[in-house]
Amino acid sequence: MRIPFIAGNWKMYKNKKEAIEFAEAFKKLYYDTDVKTAICAPFTQLDVLVEAFKGTGIGVGAQNCHFEDEGAFTGEVSVGMLKEIGVDYCVIGHSERRQYFAETDETVNLKLKKLLRDSEIIPILCVGENLDQREAGQEKDIVSAQLKADFEGLTKEEAAKLVIAYEPIWAIGTGKTATPDQAEEMCALVRKTIEEMYDEETCDKVIIQYGGSVKPENATEIMNMDEIDGALVGGASLVPEKFIEIVNF
Ligand code: 13P
């Protein structure tokens, strides 16, 4: 049985004061549900969120990490540093990192291995095609190639722990959501690709989220799809009243 998992990705929004205000407001609205919930925030807001959500069941995630233990990597944050703060999740390979910060499948793979082998932090791996690739009918080839490269060398036990977010780039922050059928088709492809790489037992365990303009108005129909176990929510996760509606889809 896969437990539904709704995560917010704040991207580069909210200072410390705003993060605390969100946490206090969200805790008042949140009651323990069967839905796993987490907020992935900028590095500098992780400690206050871990503190604020202690004992609530609400998880906290980072949005990136480095794959080395330490070293001369200006501006980077290690998995050990995240562990020390007590984060539960880490987004890896978001399309914005692939697009603007030269994230490649190779570095994504190294980061997944580091998180899975040296911490209990669960990676939320993002994959997805851009508009040109979708219009050329290449979305399935693109996403399965990303998965194969990103999973390179992972054991089936490691693979089974992953959360995968299918996020079509053309639906991120554009207000243009994939239709539930389009999202379902691609999440099914993600699961099938994992089955091909490993086996049915492994692909049955992997949590697959959809991300891209998820909001209270469309959360229920997306979450009703068989292959979709959750959502990775950008803009709508910044507002407690909106995010709670999505969590309580
Ligand atoms: P939006 O929900 O703002 O479209 O962002 C989606 C996303 O990129 C989550 O990681």
Side-chain angles (χ1 to χ4, degrees):
M1 246 290 280
R2 295 187 297 269
I3 300 170
F5 178 32
I6 308 281
N9 174 12
W10 280 358
K11 308 190 178 186
M12 199 172 73
Y13 289 100
K14 290 202 192 289
N15 60 28
K16 205 154 243 179
K17 180 169 167 281
E18 291 162 342
I20 295 168
E21 281 167 5
F22 175 97
E24 294 312 319
F26 189 69
K27 279 197 289 186
K28 290 202 183 101
L29 301 168
Y30 178 85
Y31 51 89
D32 211 3
T33 68
D34 291 341
V35 178
K36 266 198 226 169
T37 308
I39 290 288
C40 302
F43 288 129
T44 50
Q45 270 57 276
L46 293 174
D47 56 351
V48 289
L49 288 180
V50 167
E51 187 58 34
F53 289 150
K54 209 168 263 172
T56 62
I58 303 165
V60 176
Q63 301 171 2
N64 184 33
C65 65
H66 198 274
F67 50 82
E68 294 288 355
D69 286 327
E70 59 182 8
F73 301 108
T74 302
E76 291 295 309
V77 170
S78 73
V79 170
M81 292 165 186
L82 296 178
K83 250 164 73 170
E84 188 182 28
I85 292 179
V87 309
D88 310 287
Y89 302 95
C90 186
V91 176
I92 296 292
H94 193 281
S95 58
E96 288 149 15
R97 295 216 58 86
R98 293 179 192 255
Q99 189 178 351
Y100 306 127
F101 303 101
E103 185 84 87
T104 62
D105 287 321
E106 195 183 353
T107 54
V108 164
N109 176 254
L110 291 170
K111 291 175 184 189
L112 293 180
K113 285 178 177 156
K114 189 73 194 167
L115 285 164
L116 291 163
R117 294 175 186 172
D118 282 353
S119 81
E120 307 276 298
I121 299 170
I122 297 177
I124 303 176
L125 166 66
C126 301
V127 294
E129 81 286 358
N130 65 30
L131 187 60
D132 288 346
Q133 292 161 339
R134 164 70 59 168
E135 285 177 345
Q138 296 166 341
E139 64 275 10
K140 291 193 173 143
D141 291 343
I142 294 289
V143 168
S144 68
Q146 278 177 343
L147 287 169
K148 284 175 188 155
D150 296 347
F151 273 69
E152 176 70 39
L154 296 187
T155 66
K156 72 182 223 152
E157 290 74 21
E158 288 166 347
K161 288 186 194 155
L162 279 174
V163 175
I164 298 173
Y166 165 65
E167 298 205 314
I169 297 168
W170 48 271
I172 295 178
T174 57
K176 202 171 169 183
T177 325
T179 65
D181 287 339
Q182 283 174 323
E184 171 77 353
E185 186 183 27
M186 291 303 289
C187 291
L189 170 96
V190 170
R191 207 175 300 285
K192 189 166 153 278
T193 307
I194 295 166
E195 184 176 1
E196 282 165 12
M197 290 191 284
Y198 299 93
D199 52 28
E200 197 181 332
E201 191 196 352
T202 308
C203 82
D204 277 347
K205 286 186 184 154
V206 171
I207 302 291
I208 302 177
Q209 299 175 321
Y210 166 78
S213 300
V214 175
K215 34 189 183 276
E217 298 78 35
N218 59 23
T220 306
E221 56 174 359
I222 289 168
M223 289 303 295
N224 277 342
M225 306 308 281
D226 286 346
E227 296 295 347
I228 302 177
D229 307 316
L232 187 57
V233 185
S237 73
L238 296 167
V239 183
E241 294 75 17
K242 286 191 185 175
F243 191 53
I244 196 70
E245 266 199 70
I246 298 173
V247 170
N248 294 335
F249 68 90

